Structures are given as structure tokens and as C-alpha cells.
Amino acid sequence: MLFFVLTCLLAVFPAISTKSPIFGPQEVSSVEGNSVSIRCYYPPTSVNRHTRKYWCRKGASGRCITLISSEGYVSSNYAGRANLTNFPENGTFVVNIAQLSQDDSGHYKCGLGINSRGLSFDVSLEVSQGPELPNDTEVYTVDVGRTVTISCPFKTENAPKMKALYKKIGQVSVLVIDSRNYVNPDYKDRIRLHISGTGQLIFTVVIDQLRLSDHGLYLCQAGDGSSRDEKNVDLQVLKPEPELVYADLRASVTFHCALGPEVANVAKFLCRVSSRETCDVVINTLGKRDSAFEGRILLNPQDQDGSFSVVITGLRKEDEGHYLCGAHSDGQLQEGWPIQAWQLFVNEESAIPRSPTVVKGVAGGSVAVLCPYNPKESKSLKYWCHWEGAQNGRCPLLVESQGLVQEQYEGRLSLLQEPGNGTFTVILNQLTTQDAGFYWCLTNGDTRWRTTVEIKIIEGEPNLKVPGNVTAVLGETLKVPCHFPCKFSSYEKYWCKWSNTGCQTLPSQDEGPSEAFVNCDENSRLVSLTLNPVTRADEGWYWCGVKQGHFYGETAAVYVAVEERKVAGSRDVSPAKADAAPDEKVLDSGVRQIENKAIQDPRLFAEEKVVADTGDQAGGSRASVDSSSSEEQGGSSRALVSTLVPLGLVLALGAVVVGVARARHRKNVDRVSIRSYRTDISMSDFENSREFGANDNMGASSITQETSLGGKDEFVATPESTTETQEPKKAKRSSKEEAEMAYKDFLLQSSTMATEAQEGHQEA
């Protein structure tokens, strides 16, 4: 019996030609005296909307004679009973023909332009003679799978007698059901007879789940003999008239299926007629799904009236064909159950642009998905949802253009309006294996522009390299680096701050070649984000990425946390410090040690300062790549220099005064070597100048002078004790002691000044 049903359906759904983008019903049938409406589809381009539409009849010679056209022509045979209406906004036109006769049977074409150009679709029209029915016959017209209630009246004298319903097969009447509980096996479990109360002279027969085989003439009978009551019934069980569905390649289509409240709690399905014997399930509510539609089909929840819908996105040419929706406890086509039919045509001249259907990313990396939409609906709301294969009716929204982002996707998902003009972008980063699957691009506008993309997670490492989560100190400066490999040398690099409504681009600094990619020094770059000073509002997610024009590439995400400044003397190290480069830690520690030594012994500061400066020069380039130096440390260095420079000038002036005094004293010395004495004083002067930050050039000139006077060997080897063992005469020794006393006082005063300067620096 199911074979018979499918044979009938395939007669309604013959094979169609796909050479032309024009599409319509392959076969149309009716009876004499009735009317038909034939709808033809065409690509809704600006040219097609305004070009000529026609309906012509094919002759024996192959020519197609125009019967009616959109330019106002109507043949004499159609005058007064036919019209052609164009619907350019929908890309359709409709031909209505009334008062049909058997002469109207034949082969026709609906098309665009000139009849012989090939932009047409073949239609076969069959008009049959209606059945000859008795005058008192009541006609019931019901769709297959539905329910019919037949009313049968009777006289009072036949009230206590048997009631029955017969089916006429040729000249024979076959009993279907009677009031004595007989039921024909062909109608078992789907027919019942009900007799109304004594006040009403009528009985009813209800037949459920009508089949095509139930079609025919029936006879109601009450009583027997010549006094019996009879009524003739013509039951017309209609085959499902296919609804024509015209869709573009890569577009989306929706099948709306309304089966009635009697099957509201029964399993639903959509199947595709693939042969004369089967209708293969595409999807049903029991969880079955054709693998060819994986990731691009949804069965939406059913309503209480038994209706549901099936959405298919990313249409392919092979999706074209004949579809049935229905209801049955097995979730597949069964005879006698309600069904609806569609004939789907996929137009290859699509307005939907091509876009990648598969996007690949690596764990920890990112993907950028391009989603098309109707360019005329730029202000429509945009959405992105995750298709769930386990449930046929779910694609929960993850992000929308008005700012909604699911909590678990905060900081890693953004919907951007760029590049615009019919395309928006969705970026997902920090990828994990759980992100693999199918996603849908949606708008609240034209539903035909729904598209599907599959994300695959493959092996590999992210191309962009950023630090882990960073903790910044309130009020200080934070620099976050992002390393780009050489493959992105021609791309625009950017930093942006993520929010629910997008990612706002921020100023960034190109730090030159990156040390993270040793194989392409000249092309790999380091681009840093600087926050100066850090505020509470700076806390959140930041992305670095690449793009070309308005088309986005890879991204990487960093979370910046903001904390209060640590209390003075605390030894805790913030995560930002912990993540700093080793060179930076050594440099920072060295500066603190130098400052501490300067407080304890100012004369040691100059030598430690030279060591610190050397460390700065060696590690400076690395520090600029990994992170920025502290503002506090820079401020301390500036304050220290401003204090030591004046102090050095004072010390130099004091050294000159002492030198003049000694020069006068030497004139009176007979037994003391001028070279030895001056060497001692000059070495002291030189050491003092280094202790208190005197100019290096001054020290260099002093070295040259002493060498010219005493020679290199004596400059290196002459100790201070040598001068002390060669005592001068008593009268002259008193003068030297006087000079040494003045020199000691000078050193004491200088030490005091250095201590005061250091205390001032600490206060600053």
C-alpha cells in the first residue's frame, strides 16, 4: 500500500529540468468547469523584474504560441477567462485560467523574455471530465491523512433498525461499518459509527487517517426493504498538492508543516522522495538525521496545533527535490497519516555570496568568520548561534549585535559590523576542542540569508604570542607586548579593548623586530599596548590582532587586572612583576641595592652607579620588548642626578682650593719630593671626584698631568704611606699638617653634604 502512495506522489512530483532558472509546477490537473492557478518563479534581478513574462502553448511543430503575456496581450481563446499577474518583489508571476474544458489539456511553457530564448519552464495541464453523480449526492473533499465525518439522516420508523455505510465498487456495494459492530478490515481502528440521541434522526460515520484508497462513492443506509433510508456520498481524498519552493544556492529555506491538533503529540518528520519505493527521513523528532544535512538543519519545536517547521541552510544543488512532512509514532512516512508536500528548486544564479563553509583554528588560537546578510538590511540585528547536534531544535544564541554575549564567552567572542555592505564578522579566540562544531549566522531580517560554518580545531601553535593574565598597579605605567610573526608583515597590527558591543581600537607602539621569532628578524614585529597611568577603568580584556583593511585575521587575548599600590617596605611581588623578564628583575634589584649602599656610604655610590648604568645599557632593549620600566625608578634616578651634579661641582672647587694651598706649601719644602707629594694629593682628589660624581674629563686631565710629573710607574705604585715616612723639617711639617687638617675637614663636610642629599632624595 505504501508503494501505491509513493507511486501517486511521484506522479505528482515528476523529474524537473534544471537547465533554466525559471521554475514552476511540472504537472497540473483539474476537472471541467473548474479553474487553476499556475505560479512560476524567476531570479528576482532588476532585469528580470521588468522583462516580459508569458504563458504559451507548445504545438506539434515545436513552436510555442503565446496565449497571454505581461505586456497586455491575451489570445482570443483566453479572452475573459485568463489573466497573468507579476509579483516582482517575490520573483514570481501567476497565470489564472477559469472555465476549464478538456480542450485546455496540453503542454505549456511559462517564461521570461522571448518565447524561443530558453528562459522557461515546461508545464503539463490535464483537464478531465468530472464523475457523473446522482442528483442527491453529497461531496466531501478531504486531504489524505485527515479525518472526515459523514452525516446520514433517517426517518422515525427506521430509528430502531440497523444503520450502515457501504462503499460502491463498480456495481457492488461493500459493507464498511454497521451499528451491529461490524468493521471492514481495511478500516480497522480508524472508523466508528455514532447514533445521536432520540431527539435527532441522524447517525454519523467518522473515518480517520484517510488514505488515497478511501476515495470513492459511499452509501448511507438506515433500515431495510422498500422503507429504508439512503444517501449517496462522494468522498474525494486529495493527494497532497506540492507547494513550490524556490531558493538560491547557499541560501536558507523553511518548510512550514501544519498537520492538525489530532497529531499534536505524535512524532514528526521530514523525508525526501528518492525513489518509487522510499521516502528517506531527513530529520525527525526522535533524533534521526541524514548525515548530508549535518550542521545545517533544524526542526523547530512543535506547537499545540500539531504544526512545526524545518529550516535548512547552506542549500546545495543536490538538495533539490521533493519533500514530505508528516506525523507518525515511528517518525517516518506511513499510509493514512497526514502529510504535506513541497517541491524544492535551487537556483544556481544565487545572490548569496560565497563564504568559507569550514574555518580551521588551533587550540589557544582564534578564528574570524564572515557572515553574509542582505545588504539592504544593514540596520538589522545580527546573531551567531551554536548548532547542537544532540537536539534537533536548538541553536542557542552566543552573541548579538546589540551587546548580548553569553557569560562563558566573555572576553573571547565578539560580533563586528565590519566589513559591512552585506557582511559582518564574528571573532572567537582562546579556542578549545569544545569549540569545534557548527555555527549559524542569522539576522532578524531576510531569513533566506541564514548561513552555516563549521569550526575545526587542528594541531598547531597560535601565531600571535602574548603574556598570560597581567596585574597592573593603580597609577603606574603598564606595557603589554604582542609578538607577530613574519607572515603578518604586510598586515595592519592593532590592540583593542573588548566589550559586549565590540572591541574598541587603542593606540599601540611598534617596538621593532621581535626576539620571539628568530627565523625572520626583519619581518617579525613587537607591538605594545601602553596604559599610562593605570586606572580602575583599564581592567578587562584586551585583544591584539591583525587585519587587512576591514577584514580581520588572527587575535590573541590578555586579561589585565588592576590592584592598589603595595605598602612601602612590602616584599610581595605582583603577577606583573613575576611575569617580567629575568633581566628586568636583576636590573630592578640592582638599582635598589645601589640606593641602599649610597645611604650607608656616599663614597661608594659613584662606583655602584657605573655598574648599574652598564646593566641598563645591556638590558634596555629586552626590557622594552617584554614590559615597561617603573616610573618610580625613573623619577628616583632623575632626583639623584639633580642632587649629585651640584655636589660634584662643589667638591671640584674644594679640590682646587686645596691644590693652591699645597702649591704654596711646596715652595718651602726642601727634602720632600714634589712628585711624590703631589701624586698623593692628586690621587685623593681623583678618588674624591669619582666618589661625588665629578666629571670624567676632569679625572682624565688629572691623570695625564700627574703622569707627566711623576711618571707612570710612580703613579701606580706610590702608596699614601710613602709620603708619610718621608717627614719634612719640623717647621715645614707644621705647615703640611695644617694642610692635611684642612683636607680632612673638607672630606668630613663633603660626607655630611652627601648624607643630606641622600635624605632629600628619599623624601622626594
Side-chain angles (χ1 to χ4, degrees), residues 275-337:
S275 70
R276 291 183 175 273
E277 297 182 0
T278 60
C279 187
D280 300 328
V281 173
V282 175
I283 192 172
N284 64 23
T285 55
L286 300 179
K288 187 174 182 179
R289 182 174 56 251
D290 188 341
S291 59
F293 295 87
E294 187 75 10
R296 57 191 188 96
I297 189 170
L298 285 179
L299 193 155
N300 291 329
Q302 58 193 47
D303 297 327
Q304 293 182 352
D305 61 354
S307 64
F308 65 98
S309 62
V310 176
V311 181
I312 303 176
T313 67
L315 284 174
R316 307 165 183 171
K317 192 62 180 177
E318 55 267 29
D319 295 334
E320 199 170 67
H322 312 118
Y323 292 82
L324 299 174
C325 79
H328 190 268
S329 57
D330 294 337
Q332 57 187 357
L333 179 65
Q334 296 290 341
E335 186 184 12
W337 289 79

Side-chain angles (χ1 to χ4, degrees), residues 101 160 165 171 275 306 320 333 404 435 441 555 567 631 643:
S101 67
L165 179 70
Q171 300 298 321
S275 70
E320 199 170 67
L333 179 65
L404 169 68
D435 294 321
C441 302
T555 59
V567 179
E631 281 189 18
T643 304

Side-chain angles (χ1 to χ4, degrees), residues 254-274:
T254 302
F255 298 116
H256 295 284
C257 195
L259 300 177
E262 61 270 18
V263 293
N265 298 319
V266 180
K268 310 299 191 302
F269 66 88
L270 177 75
C271 66
R272 180 166 57 174
V273 180
S274 59

Side-chain angles (χ1 to χ4, degrees), residues 635-704:
S636 301
S637 299
R638 289 192 296 271
L640 196 58
V641 170
S642 62
T643 304
L644 292 178
V645 170
L647 180 60
L649 294 176
V650 173
L651 294 177
L653 181 59
V656 172
V657 172
V658 173
V660 171
R662 290 188 176 185
R664 291 178 180 177
H665 174 70
R666 283 193 200 94
K667 294 180 181 180
N668 300 321
V669 177
D670 295 330
R671 292 179 299 172
V672 178
S673 169
I674 295 176
R675 177 177 56 197
S676 175
Y677 187 74
R678 288 196 61 189
T679 299
D680 180 59
I681 297 299
S682 297
M683 287 184 66
S684 300
D685 292 344
F686 177 71
E687 290 175 358
N688 290 335
S689 68
R690 288 190 61 187
E691 286 175 11
F692 301 108
N695 192 293
D696 290 343
N697 292 333
M698 293 175 64
S701 61
S702 176
I703 292 172
T704 304

Side-chain angles (χ1 to χ4, degrees), residues 368 416 418 425 427 494 505 546-548 550-555:
L416 308 175
E418 292 87 351
T425 303
I427 297 177
Y494 67 91
T505 303
V546 295
K547 63 179 181 177
Q548 288 183 316
H550 295 291
F551 295 91
Y552 288 84
E554 296 190 37
T555 59

Side-chain angles (χ1 to χ4, degrees), residues 442-463:
L442 311 168
T443 71
N444 67 341
D446 194 341
T447 58
R448 297 175 301 173
W449 289 73
R450 295 170 176 169
T451 56
T452 303
V453 64
E454 181 183 8
I455 293 179
K456 292 184 177 180
I457 306 300
I458 60 176
E459 294 183 0
E461 294 292 332
N463 284 306

Side-chain angles (χ1 to χ4, degrees), residues 344-562:
L344 173 63
F345 177 82
V346 179
N347 175 33
E348 294 185 83
E349 297 180 6
S350 178
I352 310 298
R354 294 182 180 274
S355 59
T357 57
V358 177
V359 178
K360 298 178 181 180
V362 300
S366 68
V367 291
V369 177
L370 293 177
C371 294
Y373 64 89
N374 192 332
K376 297 180 180 180
E377 300 176 342
S378 59
K379 296 184 179 179
S380 62
L381 297 180
K382 284 84 176 176
Y383 310 95
W384 206 55
C385 69
H386 188 191
W387 182 86
E388 294 184 351
Q391 301 186 41
N392 293 324
R394 281 184 55 81
C395 191
L397 293 181
L398 305 183
V399 61
E400 67 168 26
S401 55
Q402 284 191 333
L404 169 68
V405 177
Q406 292 299 327
E407 183 178 357
Q408 64 268 33
Y409 287 89
E410 288 188 357
R412 55 189 298 251
L413 178 62
S414 183
L415 190 155
L416 308 175
Q417 298 289 348
E418 292 87 351
N421 193 27
T423 305
F424 65 91
T425 303
V426 176
I427 297 177
L428 177 63
N429 56 36
Q430 306 172 60
L431 291 173
T432 66
T433 54
Q434 286 74 28
D435 294 321
F438 294 90
Y439 297 81
W440 285 26
C441 302
L442 311 168
T443 71
N444 67 341
D446 194 341
T447 58
R448 297 175 301 173
W449 289 73
R450 295 170 176 169
T451 56
T452 303
V453 64
E454 181 183 8
I455 293 179
K456 292 184 177 180
I457 306 300
I458 60 176
E459 294 183 0
E461 294 292 332
N463 284 306
L464 307 185
K465 298 184 183 298
V466 294
N469 294 345
V470 175
T471 301
V473 178
L474 197 63
E476 295 190 357
T477 299
L478 176 69
K479 182 179 287 186
V480 184
C482 183
H483 301 264
F484 299 84
C486 57
K487 64 185 291 185
F488 296 127
S489 60
S490 62
Y491 286 62
E492 177 186 350
K493 289 86 174 174
Y494 67 91
W495 274 95
C496 65
K497 185 175 183 183
W498 180 90
S499 68
N500 286 6
T501 56
C503 199
Q504 182 181 3
T505 303
L506 301 173
S508 59
Q509 180 180 359
D510 190 337
E511 302 285 354
S514 168
E515 297 180 3
F517 302 93
V518 297
N519 294 326
C520 46
D521 296 337
E522 69 279 0
N523 290 325
S524 60
R525 309 298 294 176
L526 173 65
V527 177
S528 298
L529 168 70
T530 302
L531 302 176
N532 183 22
V534 174
T535 65
R536 283 293 182 190
D538 292 329
E539 188 165 87
W541 285 100
Y542 292 83
W543 290 5
C544 75
V546 295
K547 63 179 181 177
Q548 288 183 316
H550 295 291
F551 295 91
Y552 288 84
E554 296 190 37
T555 59
V558 177
Y559 186 81
V560 175
V562 177

